[in-house]
Amino acid sequence: MTQEKDLNASNGYIMLFVFLLLFFGSIIGFIILSNAWFILGIIISLFILPGLILVNPNGSRVLLLFGDYKGTVKKNGLFWVNPFYTKKKISLRARNFDSERLKVNDKLGNPVMISTILVWRVRDTYKASFDVDNYENFVVVQTDAAVRKLASLYPYDNFADEGLDEDITLRSSVNEVSDALEKELEERLHIAGIEVLEARIGYLAYANEIASAMLKRQQATAIVAARHKIVQGAVGMVEMALHQLSEKNLVDLDAERRAAMVSNLMVVLCSDKDATPVVNAGTLNH
């Protein structure tokens, strides 16, 4: 036997009625008639009682007879089985697992703090019971191992300014990373009969020792990108201003004055502070 087998147990309500009838009937008969044979009825009724099992919704009972797997009862209700069966209760409900925050190195070697949220449930009670020692602990250990492997496959973020432009990153590619994590966990937990319902990154950040440096780097990258946009816009505005001045013949500028005007406009447009105008009260020649 290498996989789960459904076991059809007897109706427990009938056996419960037989137990009550035999137990109390034997006691009453022994008291009234003082016949020792009624003691045998009490013993038989007590033998019936351990065979009663109750299976709740999304629950199961794994049954063994002296170490031999006989099957699993998954139907809800009250049942009766061989009293000599060993009965192990396994929940089939969906469970949440929020892993601890692990310090791992990403693809670029940067230390990051990462954790995952896993939603799982037992699919095969035989594998969960007999193929692994403790299936709940197995889920914890394999989840940590999967997260460590996942973090080493992708960088935390893109560094396009250094020529490291990755298609998938831990920070921006949430869906792709989650799909890869879910697939990795399914492969690892299949041996324990565990079904992975959902796997998501719950926490992601740089480790404390490099968090401040990476924050400054991100700020510097944002400032450079903003300056780049400002310069592009300023060049376009200066070009438009010179074109309109020339087209409407408002002023005749030689090369030197054109260069001075371009310089002044670029300073005004690209400066992060308000410009202070200086009024020229003279003429264009002095």
Side-chain angles (χ1 to χ4, degrees), residues 152-252:
S152 66
L153 296 178
Y154 306 107
Y156 178 90
D157 203 353
N158 272 322
F159 297 104
D161 55 331
E162 295 182 0
L164 302 173
D165 191 6
E166 297 283 346
D167 294 331
I168 300 178
T169 64
L170 296 174
R171 186 182 65 85
S172 60
S173 306
V174 178
N175 293 331
E176 292 81 356
V177 172
S178 298
D179 290 342
L181 177 61
E182 188 172 323
K183 183 178 179 181
E184 179 70 20
L185 285 171
E186 285 178 351
E187 294 177 355
R188 290 174 176 268
L189 299 180
H190 176 73
I191 187 178
I194 303 299
E195 179 183 4
V196 177
L197 302 178
E198 185 181 14
R200 289 283 184 269
I201 298 298
Y203 178 84
L204 181 65
Y206 281 114
N208 292 334
E209 57 265 30
I210 67 167
S212 59
M214 286 300 179
L215 178 60
K216 292 179 180 179
R217 189 186 189 287
Q218 291 174 352
Q219 291 174 341
T221 302
I223 291 173
V224 170
R227 289 293 183 185
H228 183 71
K229 291 292 184 181
I230 290 173
V231 170
Q232 282 185 335
V235 170
M237 294 174 68
V238 170
E239 183 181 3
M240 179 182 64
L242 292 175
H243 177 72
Q244 291 187 3
L245 287 173
S246 176
E247 188 178 51
K248 296 181 180 180
N249 293 322
L250 295 178
V251 62
D252 187 16

Side-chain angles (χ1 to χ4, degrees), residues 2-4 60 62 72 74 90-95 118-136 138-139 142 185-197:
T2 58
Q3 60 184 359
E4 182 182 88
S60 68
V62 178
T72 303
K74 289 186 175 180
I90 292 183
S91 174
L92 304 179
R93 297 183 179 93
R95 312 186 198 185
L118 174 65
V119 183
W120 63 279
R121 66 183 175 191
V122 175
R123 181 181 66 250
D124 191 314
T125 57
Y126 178 88
K127 291 182 177 179
S129 300
F130 308 115
D131 284 356
V132 294
D133 184 43
N134 185 325
Y135 68 91
E136 292 180 334
F138 188 82
V139 170
Q142 292 301 320
L185 285 171
E186 285 178 351
E187 294 177 355
R188 290 174 176 268
L189 299 180
H190 176 73
I191 187 178
I194 303 299
E195 179 183 4
V196 177
L197 302 178

